[in-house]
């Protein structure tokens, strides 16, 4: 069965997550937009604008009717004169008066003429490089317009014979001098900066969405569940101790005075609980822990999960099933000589090579042994199946298997077990890699128990994206008040010789004969001495 493809549609929460993940890029682009606008403003020459008003005046008669007719005529003339104000004769007159070097066409580009509806006013807006030039140009333009209108109307009246050619009754009267501009009108600094920021924001949002679309790395639990069609049974947070070269950080004890490592402890306990409640009547007893690609932390999770399960009193056997790059014995500081391959080849017995982890006597480790030339054949052999069945009768068996994509060992092992846990590195593993890994299990009909997200961020926007909100909840006796304290980490594991490990192996660790009722009772209720030991340790 092929896993369903990932649905790339986004809801509101996804948009928020995308912004929180890429907010630095969005903010940077907004700042770049503002800086670009500021640079553009600095390159622009300032422009000042001055406004002057000319009033169309027509003398009224002695009665109301004549005055009303004159007012209507003035309003009508104001509309036609507004068009005439943008003509070359007016521009040439202004050039002559102000003695400018500009051409009429250049000067007309600096002038804006408007006439409000139903008013006899004509507004002249003149733009120039300095406030004084803008003021002089606006005043001169109104005067030049008045002169040209007077000439135009006088000529028209003389031709009609209505009035003497000396003048016209229709005049344009300047309404005072234009005020001196105090600030440039162009460029508009505030609006330019706002537009720059808005453009940067739009580009930033587009950048975040495109990057999210192209980025196939796992960014949330939902992405995993949509991609592989199964649940995420555990989210393991980042722990600084693991970055410092330590691998086994759990010893089953709790340090109430320290917050160090509580997040990892609680995450592993949650994973342990989820595995048990997958099937309450028949929980998985043999589990393969694998990943899609190397360096996703599968071996570290296998080691610490084994310790966490063993802390409850259950017998646990951790097998290093990676016969190509074994690391489990090194993690626990145990001898790495003989191991699994020696048992499968008949050169040793289980009791000869099984080593107990001293801090937790209920945990035994079976190393890989010598690296064979045919790992896949050994792991898929009938001898391996019999060995797993034998150990599963009295212990929970965890197998650290190689990644699924480079080799087929993990898929072969998964067929012999109750199922596989696929570890995915948060922010590292891609959806495509995870889908291919799960498809590899499906091709051989190997059961998939679920996925485990490893190295999940605990702070920032990405933590919320993965649904991680871990907090400690312990009482601090040192401070005498309730405080957030964490679960302590186990002490680093010291190296032990093979003889010391074998001497610490309890008699009949896996070979004592127990009835099914006794085995079930031991699984649910740990032995009294083990419970007493944990009580003395503070559990």
């Amino acid at each position: 069965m092929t896993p369903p493809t990932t649905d790339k549609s986004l809801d509101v929460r996804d948009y928020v997550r995308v912004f929180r993940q890429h907010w630095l890029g969005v903010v940077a682009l907004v700042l770049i937009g503002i800086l670009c606008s500021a640079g553009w403003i600095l390159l622009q020459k300032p422009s000042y604008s001055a406004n002057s008003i000319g009033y169309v005046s027509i003398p009224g008669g002695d009665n109301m009717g004549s005055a009303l007719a004159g007012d209507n005529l003035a309003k009508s003339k104001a509309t036609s004169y507004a068009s005439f104000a943008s003509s070359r004769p007016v521009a040439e007159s202004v050039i002559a008066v102000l003695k400018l070097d500009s051409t009429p066409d250049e000067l007309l580009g600096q002038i804006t003429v408007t006439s409000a509806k139903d008013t006899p006013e004509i507004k002249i807006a003149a733009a120039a490089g300095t406030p004084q030039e803008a003021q002089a140009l606006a005043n001169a333009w109104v005067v030049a317009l008045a002169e040209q209108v007077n000439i135009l109307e006088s000529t028209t009246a003389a031709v009609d014979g209505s009035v003497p050619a000396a003048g016209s009754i229709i005049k344009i009267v300047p309404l005072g001098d234009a005020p001196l501009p105090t600030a440039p009108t162009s460029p508009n600094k505030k609006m330019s900066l706002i537009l720059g920021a808005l453009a940067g924001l739009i580009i930033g949002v587009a950048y975040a969405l495109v990057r999210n679309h192209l980025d196939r790395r796992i960014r949330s639990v939902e992405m995993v569940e949509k991609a592989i069609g199964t649940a995420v049974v555990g989210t393991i947070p980042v722990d600084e101790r693991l970055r410092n070269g330590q691998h086994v950080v759990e010893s089953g004890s709790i340090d109430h005075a320290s917050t160090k490592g509580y997040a990892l402890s609680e995450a592993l306990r949650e994973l342990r609980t989820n595995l048990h409640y997958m099937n309450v009547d028949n929980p998985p007893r043999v589990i393969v822990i694998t990943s899609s690609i190397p360096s996703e932390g599968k071996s570290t999770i296998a080691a610490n999960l084994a310790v966490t399960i063993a802390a409850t009193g259950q017998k646990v056997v951790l097998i290093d099933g990676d016969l190509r790059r074994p690391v489990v014995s090194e993690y626990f500081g145990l001898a790495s000589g003989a191991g699994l391959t020696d048992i499968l080849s008949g050169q040793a017995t289980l009791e000869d090579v099984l080593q107990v982890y001293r801090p937790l006597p209920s945990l035994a480790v079976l190393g890989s042994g010598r690296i064979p030339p045919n790992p896949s054949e050994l792991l898929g052999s009938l001898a391996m199946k019999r060995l797993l069945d034998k150990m599963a009768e009295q212990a929970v068996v965890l197998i650290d298997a190689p990644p699924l994509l480079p080799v087929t060992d993990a898929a072969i092992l998964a067929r012999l077990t109750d199922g596989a846990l696929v570890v995915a590195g948060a922010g590292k593993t891609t959806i495509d890699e995870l889908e291919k890994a799960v498809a590899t299990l499906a091709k051989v009909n190997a059961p998939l128990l679920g996925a485990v997200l490893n190295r999940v961020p605990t702070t920032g926007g990405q933590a919320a994206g993965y649904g991680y909100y871990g907090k400690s909840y312990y009482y601090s006796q040192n401070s005498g008040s309730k405080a957030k304290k964490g679960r302590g980490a186990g002490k680093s594991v010291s190296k032990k010789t093979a003889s010391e490990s074998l001497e610490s192996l309890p008699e009949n660790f896996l070979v004592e004969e127990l009835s099914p009722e006794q085995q079930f009772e031991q699984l649910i209720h740990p032995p009294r001495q083990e419970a007493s030991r944990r009580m003395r340790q503070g559990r």
Side-chain angles (χ1 to χ4, degrees), residues 178-228:
L180 185 67
T182 58
T185 56
S186 177
N188 189 331
K189 297 181 180 179
K190 184 181 294 186
M191 183 58 66
S192 298
L193 293 176
I194 292 175
L195 291 177
L198 183 61
L201 178 61
I202 293 173
I203 296 175
V205 171
Y207 154 80
L209 293 176
V210 170
R211 184 169 177 180
N212 178 75
H213 180 76
L214 298 178
D215 186 4
R216 299 285 291 174
R217 290 177 295 177
I218 294 173
R219 296 295 185 185
S220 67
V221 172
E222 289 77 11
M223 288 178 64
V224 177
E225 294 179 344
K226 290 179 182 179
I228 64 177

Side-chain angles (χ1 to χ4, degrees), residues 76-133:
S76 175
K77 288 291 186 179
T79 303
S80 59
Y81 291 159
S83 300
F84 183 64
S86 300
S87 63
R88 292 176 62 87
V90 178
E92 292 171 352
S93 178
V94 171
I95 291 174
V97 171
L98 299 180
K99 298 179 181 181
L100 303 176
D101 295 332
S102 304
T103 64
D105 291 335
E106 292 176 348
L107 204 60
L108 287 172
Q110 299 177 235
I111 299 298
T112 302
V113 182
T114 57
S115 176
K117 187 177 181 181
D118 295 332
T119 63
E121 294 180 357
I122 300 175
K123 183 178 180 180
I124 307 296
T130 64
Q132 293 77 13
E133 291 177 358

Side-chain angles (χ1 to χ4, degrees), residues 29-75:
L29 288 171
V30 171
L31 293 177
I32 291 174
I34 295 175
L35 291 176
C36 290
S37 297
W40 179 83
I41 291 172
L42 293 176
L43 294 175
Q44 300 302 308
K45 292 182 178 180
S47 177
Y48 296 84
S49 180
N51 298 320
S52 62
I53 298 176
Y55 184 83
V56 179
S57 173
I58 299 178
D62 296 335
N63 53 56
M64 184 63 69
S66 299
L68 184 59
D71 182 66
N72 291 334
L73 179 60
K75 294 176 181 178

